[in-house]
Amino acid sequence: MLLTLVFAYLLATIAIGLYAARRVKNTADFAIAGRGLPLVMIVTTTFATWFGSETVLGIPAKFVEGGLNGVIEDPFGAGTCLILVGLFFAGKLYRMTLLTISDYYRERYGRTVEVLCSLIIMLSYLGWVSAQVTALGLVFHVLSGGVISIPVGMVIGVVSILAYTLFGGMWSVALTDFLQMIILVVGLAVIAVFAANMAGGADKVVSLALSRDLFKFWPEPTFKDMIFFFAAAITMMLGSIPQQDVFQRVMSASSESAATKGPVIGGVCYILFAFVPMFLVASALIIMPEKAAMLLKEDPQKVLPTLVLEKMPFVMQVLFFGALLSAIKSTASATLLAPSVTFVENIWRQFRPRMGDQRELRTMRITVLVFSGFVLTYAISMSGTPIYEMVSGAYQVTLVGAFIPLVFGLYWKRATTQGALLSIVLGLGVWAVGLVSPLGQDFPAQLAGILAAFCGMVAGSLGPQWVRNTHGSHHKVIGVESRGSSPYN
């Protein structure tokens, strides 16, 4: 019965998404909803982008293992990312009326940087979307009592998301996000109240968390612990800023005010509401102590679904799995769309410069389909990898490769194309060395990468200018001009 209701819910979201698809007439409608979303939908769609499988399954698992210190990356880093986007990036980018974040790199630095950053951004989405697909497979596997295998569950989930994302693009994503976030918030809130009563009161749950030191936030005051804590914090906090899915939400707003306020409100709501799944898992330690202890050793991600399935009435099960599917589908649909739009607009278009709008729209839809196939293959091959790890690892590449060129391009007039290229090369190179060598065990690879990217930007931008000034040459050094007088600063 529960599985039947879940499939009915999937069909309902598909119908809503296809209804929204009627608004799609051109690429702007498909990619950024024709810049027509009001503030309330910007809030729900930014909130929905982050509130995915890792928030409901991954974060609680990390929380009961390592306390708040273990979830600094998400939700704290992820939520702060949205706040920073609203405060420092949304206004500037919205006024530029671009289709993708990579369009900014082209306008500021030229084609080479555009293509490099596009590839970096697209690569990061593999892990992010795969985490959602993995969670969908897990949900269908649990609900069917093991009859539906996890890979088959992944396929069902991807098909259900594709059914509306393929046709409706950002319009379908935004409308389904809006409705799914209502279901998510109401569902999890009701379940939290029910779980608190089962545990003997919310105060008992909080007391247990205190006794286990789960509210410990700061690391041990040693150099190594502090730098790894800081590196984890900035991975999603800064690495998620140069992302197409975040940018799409900013550019989909109907006004600059909505574009700047929406991410800030969405980010604050995300951090606060992410505590609900953490509370639910802590309550599971009281309600079913032996089973929870066993699952913590086997797979902590199953604690919450098991609590709902074994200890709660049918209505609560419907609410929970409706909320969980809402979280997963809202995130997955957005993150399938983002890299596909980036590929067509910033890479494929260079080979088809005279491509008409309708042909570009068709190409975007084909790309969504192809990228979904890659994601499904990657997710199945990565089976067994914790959802939280898949998500956090996805944003290291954009942190070290794309963040510094974006922020320096917006806020430093002397940033040049050479600086951006050197920043990308050094950032990715140093990060890769840290990942594959023992050095990464003593100093976090992503922190080393972003420091190298910073040095590359400064040295690459100022170095040629310093050489030119030192030698008193009045000859223009090819490609050194900073474009500092452009309207993008």
Side-chain angles (χ1 to χ4, degrees):
M1 183 62 178
L2 183 57
L3 191 59
T4 303
L5 286 174
V6 165
F7 276 112
Y9 174 70
L10 291 181
L11 292 173
T13 56
I14 290 170
I16 293 165
L18 291 176
Y19 171 78
R22 299 190 307 169
R23 288 175 172 264
V24 177
K25 302 292 189 294
N26 52 47
T27 51
D29 290 336
F30 189 81
I32 53 174
R35 287 169 72 100
L37 300 183
L39 175 61
V40 65
M41 291 189 77
I42 297 298
V43 172
T44 55
T45 198
T46 48
F47 177 84
T49 306
W50 261 218
F51 211 103
S53 60
E54 74 290 346
T55 317
V56 182
L57 300 175
I59 289 175
K62 294 285 285 187
F63 173 67
V64 292
E65 288 179 315
L68 290 180
N69 178 261
V71 295
I72 177 62
E73 202 163 328
D74 190 7
F76 297 105
T80 305
C81 162
L82 291 177
I83 296 169
L84 293 175
V85 166
L87 293 176
F88 301 107
F89 297 89
K92 285 177 175 284
L93 293 171
Y94 187 83
R95 290 192 291 271
M96 293 170 65
T97 63
L98 305 171
L99 198 63
T100 69
I101 186 71
S102 296
D103 286 347
Y104 169 78
Y105 292 108
R106 181 185 66 244
E107 296 290 338
R108 186 65 175 83
Y109 300 114
R111 287 284 186 189
T112 304
V113 175
E114 173 197 14
V115 172
L116 285 174
C117 287
S118 296
L119 292 172
I120 288 168
I121 290 167
M122 287 165 57
L123 179 63
S124 72
Y125 279 105
L126 264 181
W128 181 235
V129 191
S130 295
Q132 314 312 314
V133 173
T134 299
L136 284 169
L138 182 64
V139 168
F140 287 112
H141 180 69
V142 170
L143 287 178
S144 66
V147 175
I148 298 176
S149 67
I150 290 179
V152 172
M154 290 180 185
V155 174
I156 295 171
V158 169
V159 170
S160 71
I161 296 163
L162 267 178
Y164 62 84
T165 307
L166 197 63
F167 299 102
M170 191 61 200
W171 267 118
S172 290
V173 169
L175 186 57
T176 51
D177 278 357
F178 179 73
L179 296 170
Q180 286 171 162
M181 284 310 98
I182 295 172
I183 296 169
L184 172 70
V185 171
V186 172
L188 286 182
V190 170
I191 292 168
V193 173
F194 192 85
N197 290 332
M198 290 180 70
D203 57 322
K204 297 281 182 64
V205 181
V206 173
S207 297
L208 175 75
L210 285 169
S211 69
R212 290 186 170 226
D213 209 18
L214 294 181
F215 290 124
K216 182 183 178 184
F217 183 77
W218 298 106
E220 295 298 322
T222 64
F223 176 74
K224 184 175 180 179
D225 286 343
M226 290 295 287
I227 59 168
F228 273 90
F229 177 82
F230 178 73
I234 66 170
T235 297
M236 288 187 74
M237 186 188 300
L238 305 183
S240 300
I241 291 176
Q243 283 289 358
Q244 176 61 17
D245 58 325
V246 177
F247 176 83
Q248 277 179 298
R249 275 134 191 78
V250 170
M251 297 304 291
S252 297
S254 58
S255 67
E256 186 177 332
S257 174
T260 53
K261 292 176 183 175
V264 174
I265 299 170
V268 172
C269 291
Y270 175 68
I271 292 173
L272 294 176
F273 204 74
F275 277 92
V276 175
M278 290 188 242
F279 175 85
L280 286 170
V281 168
S283 68
L285 299 177
I286 297 175
I287 298 168
M288 48 174 210
E290 295 85 6
K291 191 65 177 280
M294 183 187 75
L295 288 172
L296 285 175
K297 293 178 182 177
E298 293 177 3
D299 186 356
Q301 293 172 160
K302 292 182 179 177
V303 174
L304 193 45
T306 303
L307 168 68
V308 175
L309 280 174
E310 294 189 3
K311 299 295 182 180
M312 293 193 177
F314 183 73
V315 174
M316 293 298 153
Q317 294 174 18
V318 173
L319 281 173
F320 174 75
F321 284 101
L324 177 57
L325 282 171
S326 295
I328 298 169
K329 283 169 65 68
S330 61
T331 300
S333 59
T335 46
L336 275 178
L337 182 64
S340 306
V341 171
T342 299
F343 173 78
V344 176
E345 174 69 12
N346 302 106
I347 295 179
W348 185 254
R349 195 176 177 85
Q350 296 190 38
F351 301 102
R352 296 286 189 275
R354 293 184 176 85
M355 182 166 49
D357 190 81
Q358 288 304 306
R359 188 173 179 184
E360 184 176 0
L361 176 59
R362 186 168 64 251
T363 307
M364 283 182 180
R365 285 172 168 153
I366 293 170
T367 307
V368 170
L369 188 62
V370 173
F371 185 73
S372 299
F374 281 124
V375 165
L376 191 56
T377 304
Y378 182 77
I380 292 172
S381 69
M382 293 292 285
S383 290
T385 305
I387 290 170
Y388 193 95
E389 303 303 329
M390 292 175 76
V391 169
S392 61
Y395 287 105
Q396 290 189 22
V397 65
T398 44
L399 173 70
V400 302
F403 174 72
I404 292 294
L406 174 64
V407 71
F408 273 71
L410 286 170
Y411 285 99
W412 192 41
K413 292 185 177 181
R414 300 180 74 179
T416 67
T417 301
Q418 281 94 334
L421 287 170
L422 191 57
S423 173
I424 294 168
V425 171
L426 285 181
L428 290 174
V430 170
W431 170 68
V433 169
L435 284 182
V436 300
S437 73
L439 295 173
Q441 298 173 11
D442 298 315
F443 194 90
Q446 69 268 43
L447 184 55
I450 196 172
L451 290 174
F454 170 81
C455 294
M457 172 59 78
V458 174
S461 297
L462 296 183
Q465 297 174 23
W466 180 80
V467 171
R468 181 178 58 186
N469 293 336
T470 300
H471 290 82
S473 170
H474 296 289
H475 296 292
K476 185 171 84 170
V477 180
I478 295 174
V480 169
E481 65 274 15
S482 73
R483 306 186 188 196
S485 59
S486 76
Y488 308 113
N489 292 288

